[in-house]
Amino acid sequence: MNLRFVDAASIAACTSYLGLVEHMRQAHAKPPPDVERVLMQERSAAGIDNSFLIWPAWQHGGALGIKICTLFPGNVRQPTVQALYALFDGEHGSPQALLDGTEMTYWKTAADSALGADFLARGDARSLLVVGAGSMAPHMVRAYRAIRPGLERVMVWNRTPERARSLAQHMPKEAIEVVHDLQTAVQSADIVCCVTASGTPLIQGAWLQEGTHVDLIGGYTPAMREADDEAMRRARIFVDSRWFTVEHVGDLTQPIANGVITRSDVLGDLFDLCCARVSGRKHARDITVFKSGGGAHLDLMTAQYIAAQLL
């Protein structure tokens, strides 16, 4: 057995945002793999819901893999998301690689949203607002700049401004502007990207200007929410996959339960977009929402991309 251990530095060295986005585009044009999702949770003494996720995926005739992942939103000195990924050969079932799942998840999540934005964000987008300054934020800035090189202004807002300032200081080449008034920042952004663990909506639909693209990444349970009902009512809604979003994440389950939208208002997922079964942005004035639920199929796609570079 020739098992390769792939650490974070190796993943970062061999991966590009444009390369992974293109790989995902091609992978979504094929039949989806079989996937499962096992979520276990406990509430900490501080009242925070910690999660343990197990996500297997099997692309029959190609590869199979499993991610073992913890999500601890209260972490300060450790990343919120920490994971391992095991990739297996699809022909013989032999292990191929054990990857740093934390680093892989950053790249996977950024490429997932960037692919959605390539269909949904205006081609002439000039301003980006990142809401949340955690470990995902640098990847989102770089991934969006890869697909929209015309971005001229990058803003970041965080509940604790010190963390936003720290992000800006660690990315001097990106010339990140720390903003303090979220409403004004949303109103001036062509792309709004949320990477938070918020349980209450941060983005208000009344703030959204025509033509804005909203990317909701952080919420992964029915109790989590980043945009309010009005935002969902006004938008053309798309998701990365129907099976990991419509029944599982609060940005969709809550407005559906409130009667603000219906399941049919989710117009398509990345498989639909990449296979041209649905159209993304139709008009420059459209407000679009892309809700990322993650998923085992995306982890498998990303692991296959990394393996192709290294193995």
Side-chain angles (χ1 to χ4, degrees), residues 174-307:
E174 302 293 347
I176 293 174
E177 176 185 345
V178 177
V179 294
H180 302 282
D181 186 331
L182 182 58
Q183 178 177 347
T184 301
V186 170
Q187 290 171 335
S188 64
D190 297 320
I191 301 171
V192 178
C193 170
C194 292
V195 279
T196 74
S198 181
T200 56
L202 296 170
I203 306 303
Q204 308 298 307
W207 301 346
L208 297 174
Q209 304 299 302
E210 288 187 346
T212 304
H213 174 59
V214 181
D215 186 12
L216 305 175
I217 297 172
Y220 56 90
T221 73
M224 301 173 78
R225 193 85 189 268
E226 292 183 304
D228 71 356
D229 283 355
E230 181 66 5
M232 307 308 284
R233 185 193 67 77
R234 296 183 65 195
R236 287 171 50 80
I237 304 169
F238 297 84
V239 295
D240 53 1
S241 68
R242 292 181 181 276
W243 57 83
F244 279 130
T245 51
V246 178
E247 306 294 338
H248 296 288
V249 297
D251 280 300
L252 294 176
T253 60
Q254 292 184 35
I256 288 173
N258 294 340
V260 175
I261 62 172
T262 66
R263 287 169 177 79
S264 63
D265 288 315
V266 178
L267 300 177
D269 62 14
L270 284 179
F271 291 98
D272 295 321
L273 289 166
C274 291
C275 293
R277 290 192 290 263
V278 299
S279 299
R281 174 172 291 276
K282 289 189 172 182
H283 304 288
R285 65 179 180 273
D286 287 343
I287 295 171
T288 54
V289 163
F290 181 76
K291 176 54 199 160
S292 167
H297 62 296
L298 296 167
D299 292 300
L300 181 59
M301 291 174 188
T302 305
Q304 287 177 293
Y305 171 85
I306 294 167

Side-chain angles (χ1 to χ4, degrees), residues 44 47 51 53 56 68 85-87 103 134 162 180 213 227 234 250 259 263 290 297 308:
S44 71
S51 302
L53 280 169
I68 304 170
Y85 195 86
L87 178 66
E103 182 71 15
E162 306 83 48
H180 302 282
H213 174 59
R234 296 183 65 195
R263 287 169 177 79
F290 181 76
H297 62 296

